[in-house]
Amino acid sequence: MDTKRIRTSSSFSINHGCHECSLSKLCIPIAVEADDIDRLEEIIKQGRILSRGDYIFEQQSAFKSCFAVRSGAIKTFTVSEDGEEQVTGFYLPGEMIGLDSVSMEEYSCSAVALERTTVCEIPLSKFEDLATQIPKLQHHFFSLMSKEIQESRQLTMLLSKNTAEERIASLLLSLSSRFRRRKLSDTEFKLPMPRSDIANYLGLAVETVSRVLTRFQQQNLIHVQGRDVKINDLEGLQAMLKDVKCMDHKRSGSIA
Amino acid sequence: MYSGDQRTLYLDEAVHRKAFRDIKASSCAGLDIHAQWPFLLNTPPRTFLNGPEVPLSQLGTDNSHWLLKECERADSPSNLALSFQLPGWQPDSQNQYSRSQIQALRSVYQSPSALQRYIDYMVKEIQILRRTLPDQIRLTYMHWNGDLVHFLSESELTQLMFFINRSFVGINDPATMLVSELDAPPKSNDLLALLVGLGINTICINDPGATIYSFPLPDVKDWINLVRDYGINKVLLRLNLTDELADELPLYIEDIISAAPDAVLMAKTGSGPSAREGFEFPPVTVKHALLKARYTPMTDSFYVAQGWNSTNSHLVKGIGLGAKSYTTALEFYNTCGLTEYYQLLDAGKLPVNRARKLITELY
C-alpha cells in the first residue's frame, strides 16, 4: 500500500518556503511559475531573525544580496561625514531592500530592524543567473527596481515642494495602502517607527510631527494613541494632497 | 558637444540642409538630420560629403574588430555616444501613439514578450559593443528616442539603463549627458520620476502641437516647469513647423519662452518650401520673440565657439534595428531586418549591414 509522506509544518515556523509563505503573492514568487519556485527556494536564504536595532547591512559594506522583509519592519538610513543620520525609507513585509545598491559594489545605505524582524536573503549573483533563465522573474525584478526608483524621486519631490501636513498625510496614506496590499486593515494599524524617525524621514522637527498629528486628530481625520493610528477620514487625508505633482500619491500613497 | 550653457536658437537654414537632402533616418520620417537631437548634440559635422558605399567584406565584419580599427583611424575617440531607438516605422503621424498603433507595433513583434526579446537583444548589442571597444572609452552621451520612452514599460526602461550602467564607465559623471526625448505627455508623473531616478538629466520635448497626441501648445510652459521641478537640468524644445502650427505657434511663443527652455530647435518636416504663398520659415514673430529673449542663433560661429573641430571625435553608436552610427570617417547602419538583427547578435557580431565612407568637414 502506498503511503503518503505527510509533511508537517507549524504555522509559526519561520522556515516556511516560498510555497507556503503568506507573502508569496507580494514578493518574488509572484513572478515565478509553481514549477520554478523550487529553483527560487534553492537560492534564497530564508528565515534570518533580527532583533530590534540589528543591522541587515551597513552602508559602504560590500554589496552581495537584496533582502525581502518577511515580518516586522526595517528602516534604511545614510550617515553623512558629520555623523548625521538621514532616514531614507521604511520597509514592511513583502517589500525588498537593497535594490538601490544593485548596480554598485557597496550598499548605499544601512538597514536596521525597527522591531523583531525576519528577512529572506537573495544573493544577487545567483538571482541574476536564475533570472536569465526565467524571463518573468527578470521582468519582476526590474519592475521592483523601477518602483523603488520612482518612489525615491517622488519622495524628493514631496520633501521639496510640500507642507508638513501634506508630507505626513502622504506617509499615512502610503502606510495605509501598504497594509491594504497585505490584506490588513488600511484604517487601523500600528506605526512601525517612532516619531523621531518619521520626522527625520520627512525633513521635519519631531515637535512638528506631533503637532500635525494632534491637528489631524482635532480635525477628526485620524485618532492616534501612541503608535496606534486609526484613520477616520481616508478621503479627507487624500484631499490634502492637492498638488498635481503628487497625483499618484493621492491615488495610492506610493512613497516608501 | 553642445554644452547647453547658453540659450540657443537653431535655425534650419540652407547652409546645413543642402547636403542632407538624401539622408533620412528611418525613425524620424521627413525630419532633416539636423533636427535629430543625437546628431545636433554630438559634434555635428558641417557637411557629410558622402563617399561610396563600402562593402562590408572590406570592413572585415566577420568580427567586430573593424569598429575598433575605424575608431583608431578616426583619432581614437575616447568618448562614446549611444543612441537607442525602437525599430523605425512609418506611422501615420496623426495616429501616433494611439492605442491601435501601440497594438500594431506590438503585434509586429507578435506578442509583448517579443518586445521584451527585442530589448534583450539591444542589451546584447551593448555588451558586444563593450567587448569591441577600448577599455578606456567613456560614455559621455546617451540618448533615448521618444518612441522608446513611450512604448517601453518602466521595468523595461530600468532594465535597459541597468545594463548600460553595467557596461560603460562615465554614466554617473555629472558631465555626461543622459538625454530622453518626450514626444507626448507622460501617462503619469511616475515616468518623470523614473527617468530622473535612472539618471536622465536632459529632456527634449518634441514637436508640441504636431498631432493630437503631442504636447498641447498651451501646456508646453507647464510641462517645462514640471520637468524642471523633478530635477531635470536641461529642457530642450523642438518645434516642428508645419503650416498649421505656423498660425498657432505665435499665439503661445511668449508663454513658452517664459519657461526658458535651454535650447529651441526649429525644424520643418519635408525638404520642400511651404505650399503656402508668402510663408517665411521660420515665422517672423517666432524668430523675433526668440531673439528678443536672447536666444542665440546656432550658426557657424556658434559651433566654432563651442570648440567643435575635426579633432573632437566621437563615436556615435546607434543601438537597435536600423540604427545609424558614425565616426568622422564612416557612417554605418544596423540592419533593418529583425531576424538578421537577432542572428548577427547571436553570432557575437555587431548587426551592421551597410556602411559609407565620409569626408566630413567639421567646425
Side-chain angles (χ1 to χ4, degrees):
Chain A
M1 182 166 91
D2 292 336
T3 53
K4 287 183 188 173
R5 285 188 63 187
I6 299 171
R7 197 163 141 200
T8 57
S9 61
S10 161
S11 59
F12 298 107
S13 168
I14 57 166
N15 288 322
H16 278 174
C18 294
H19 279 287
E20 295 97 5
C21 181
S22 63
L23 299 168
S24 59
K25 290 209 172 7
L26 297 177
C27 192
I28 301 267
I30 193 174
V32 176
E33 304 288 341
D35 294 341
D36 287 326
I37 291 188
D38 288 339
R39 297 166 74 188
L40 192 62
E41 284 185 352
E42 277 171 24
I43 66 168
I44 292 179
K45 300 177 193 172
Q46 289 157 357
R48 180 175 157 198
I49 306 173
L50 301 123
S51 302
R52 184 179 153 197
D54 283 350
Y55 277 78
I56 294 90
F57 52 78
E58 286 191 59
Q59 187 176 349
Q60 293 182 333
S61 60
F63 176 86
K64 279 187 229 158
S65 307
C66 294
F67 296 84
V69 183
R70 193 144 180 185
S71 67
I74 288 173
K75 80 171 177 186
T76 55
F77 61 95
T78 57
V79 179
S80 70
E81 283 175 5
D82 302 331
E84 295 230 13
E85 181 180 299
Q86 174 61 56
V87 176
T88 53
F90 300 108
Y91 295 84
L92 302 179
E95 298 168 5
M96 278 189 67
I97 54 171
L99 287 173
D100 58 338
S101 304
V102 161
S103 47
M104 301 184 202
E105 293 176 358
E106 298 173 342
Y107 287 104
S108 61
C109 61
S110 300
V112 78
L114 289 166
E115 55 190 65
R116 190 168 171 79
T117 297
T118 55
V119 296
C120 297
E121 182 177 349
I122 305 154
L124 192 70
S125 55
K126 290 183 186 173
F127 182 82
E128 281 186 345
D129 288 340
L130 186 61
T132 57
Q133 298 162 45
I134 308 176
K136 268 191 188 176
L137 188 61
Q138 184 180 68
H139 184 88
H140 183 64
F141 176 72
F142 286 118
S143 183
L144 290 175
M145 208 189 289
S146 70
K147 190 162 172 291
E148 171 84 10
I149 290 167
Q150 281 168 346
E151 287 175 354
S152 173
R153 292 310 306 184
Q154 295 286 27
L155 175 66
T156 304
M157 280 289 285
L158 184 78
L159 297 184
S160 68
K161 300 283 170 195
N162 295 77
T163 64
E165 285 79 7
E166 287 165 344
R167 296 180 200 188
I168 291 171
S170 192
L171 177 63
L172 291 173
L173 289 169
S174 168
L175 290 170
S176 167
S177 73
R178 287 150 80 183
F179 283 116
R180 186 168 58 242
R181 258 186 358 135
R182 289 162 56 205
K183 306 276 190 286
L184 301 173
S185 170
D186 59 352
T187 53
E188 288 189 49
F189 49 84
K190 191 178 175 101
L191 291 173
M193 71 292 279
R195 282 170 178 48
S196 55
D197 280 344
I198 293 176
N200 184 308
Y201 179 63
L202 296 177
L204 302 169
V206 177
E207 298 78 14
T208 305
V209 172
S210 298
R211 270 204 296 273
V212 169
L213 289 174
T214 303
R215 202 175 306 145
F216 283 176
Q217 186 153 272
Q218 288 164 351
Q219 293 166 351
N220 205 28
L221 290 169
I222 62 173
H223 177 77
V224 178
Q225 191 160 355
R227 290 214 199 169
D228 294 315
V229 172
K230 184 172 176 225
I231 298 180
N232 296 330
D233 185 359
L234 199 60
E235 284 179 9
L237 271 183
Q238 288 167 342
M240 298 192 70
L241 301 182
K242 294 187 294 294
D243 192 329
V244 70
K245 296 179 205 48
C246 299
M247 281 297 269
D248 297 314
H249 296 197
K250 228 169 139 173
R251 285 199 297 271
S252 66
S254 59
I255 59 168
Chain B
M1 193 190 305
Y2 166 66
S3 66
D5 289 337
Q6 60 186 101
R7 292 187 189 184
T8 53
L9 161 66
Y10 180 76
L11 298 177
D12 195 9
E13 289 182 340
V15 66
H16 298 294
R17 292 182 63 201
K18 65 182 176 189
F20 294 89
R21 217 165 275 138
D22 298 325
I23 297 177
K24 280 190 179 139
S26 59
S27 61
C28 296
L31 280 176
D32 188 283
I33 186 83
H34 283 99
Q36 295 162 41
W37 290 112
F39 180 84
L40 179 71
L41 298 174
N42 281 284
T43 322
R46 179 179 178 168
T47 315
F48 280 132
L49 299 176
N50 292 338
E53 283 225 355
V54 177
L56 293 181
S57 56
Q58 192 176 322
L59 288 178
T61 50
D62 285 344
N63 58 53
S64 297
H65 293 148
W66 64 270
L67 180 59
L68 186 59
K69 287 184 199 154
E70 279 308 314
C71 290
E72 286 165 358
R73 211 186 343 242
D75 302 321
S76 292
S78 56
N79 295 334
L80 172 68
L82 290 179
S83 173
F84 291 81
Q85 63 187 58
L86 290 188
W89 55 306
Q90 304 290 326
D92 173 356
S93 62
Q94 293 303 317
N95 289 328
Q96 198 172 20
Y97 301 121
S98 69
R99 186 168 295 186
S100 61
Q101 284 292 346
I102 292 171
Q103 295 289 350
L105 182 66
R106 287 188 178 257
S107 72
V108 166
Y109 308 119
Q110 297 157 16
S111 67
S113 62
L115 185 62
Q116 175 63 59
R117 186 177 182 219
Y118 178 81
I119 295 159
D120 291 340
Y121 274 86
M122 278 210 288
V123 168
K124 206 173 268 199
E125 188 177 353
I126 294 167
Q127 290 166 337
I128 294 172
L129 183 70
R130 171 66 273 182
R131 287 199 296 271
T132 304
L133 294 174
D135 289 341
Q136 67 271 19
I137 206 159
R138 290 184 71 83
L139 187 70
T140 54
Y141 181 95
M142 187 213 72
H143 190 98
W144 283 352
N145 274 19
D147 52 354
L148 193 97
V149 172
H150 279 276
F151 283 114
L152 262 55
S153 68
E154 285 146 7
S155 162
E156 288 157 353
L157 289 171
T158 304
Q159 176 189 359
L160 200 54
M161 187 60 95
F162 176 79
F163 284 105
I164 295 167
N165 202 349
R166 272 255 175 113
S167 300
F168 296 102
V169 295
I171 203 164
N172 294 316
D173 191 317
T176 299
M177 266 183 103
L178 301 175
V179 183
S180 175
E181 292 180 16
L182 292 177
D183 292 349
K187 299 182 235 358
S188 95
N189 294 351
D190 277 348
L191 177 64
L192 290 178
L194 178 65
L195 290 176
V196 174
L198 291 175
I200 298 291
N201 53 30
T202 304
I203 292 279
C204 302
I205 292 180
N206 287 343
D207 314 328
T211 73
I212 58 171
Y213 299 100
S214 305
F215 287 91
L217 271 179
D219 297 344
V220 171
K221 175 188 172 184
D222 289 339
W223 278 106
I224 292 173
N225 289 334
L226 179 63
V227 166
R228 284 227 174 83
D229 282 345
Y230 269 90
I232 294 285
N233 293 340
K234 291 193 173 65
V235 183
L236 314 180
L237 179 65
R238 185 174 76 197
L239 299 173
N240 189 358
L241 297 180
T242 59
D243 289 345
E244 294 77 20
L245 204 63
D247 286 330
E248 206 183 339
L249 182 58
L251 301 175
Y252 296 106
I253 190 64
E254 298 282 353
D255 207 40
I256 290 170
I257 288 172
S258 71
D262 294 272
V264 177
L265 168 61
M266 299 177 75
K268 190 160 170 31
T269 303
S271 56
S274 167
R276 271 189 0 174
E277 192 179 316
F279 174 76
E280 182 179 329
F281 173 83
V284 174
T285 47
V286 173
K287 175 181 170 184
H288 284 168
L290 287 163
L291 289 172
K292 192 174 149 192
R294 299 205 217 157
Y295 281 80
T296 309
M298 283 172 71
T299 57
D300 288 3
S301 57
F302 169 79
Y303 291 128
V304 170
Q306 292 293 317
W308 282 327
N309 56 54
S310 61
T311 62
N312 275 6
S313 67
H314 272 77
L315 164 61
V316 181
K317 180 72 183 72
I319 302 288
L321 197 68
K324 173 194 167 97
S325 311
Y326 62 90
T327 66
T328 49
L330 194 75
E331 174 187 273
F332 48 101
Y333 289 85
N334 283 357
T335 176
C336 290
L338 193 65
T339 306
E340 189 187 4
Y341 180 71
Y342 290 164
Q343 284 171 347
L344 286 168
L345 290 170
D346 280 337
K349 299 180 189 178
L350 289 173
V352 170
N353 79 338
R354 66 187 177 94
R356 191 199 298 266
K357 286 205 175 193
L358 299 174
I359 303 166
T360 55
E361 288 182 11
L362 297 176
Y363 292 92

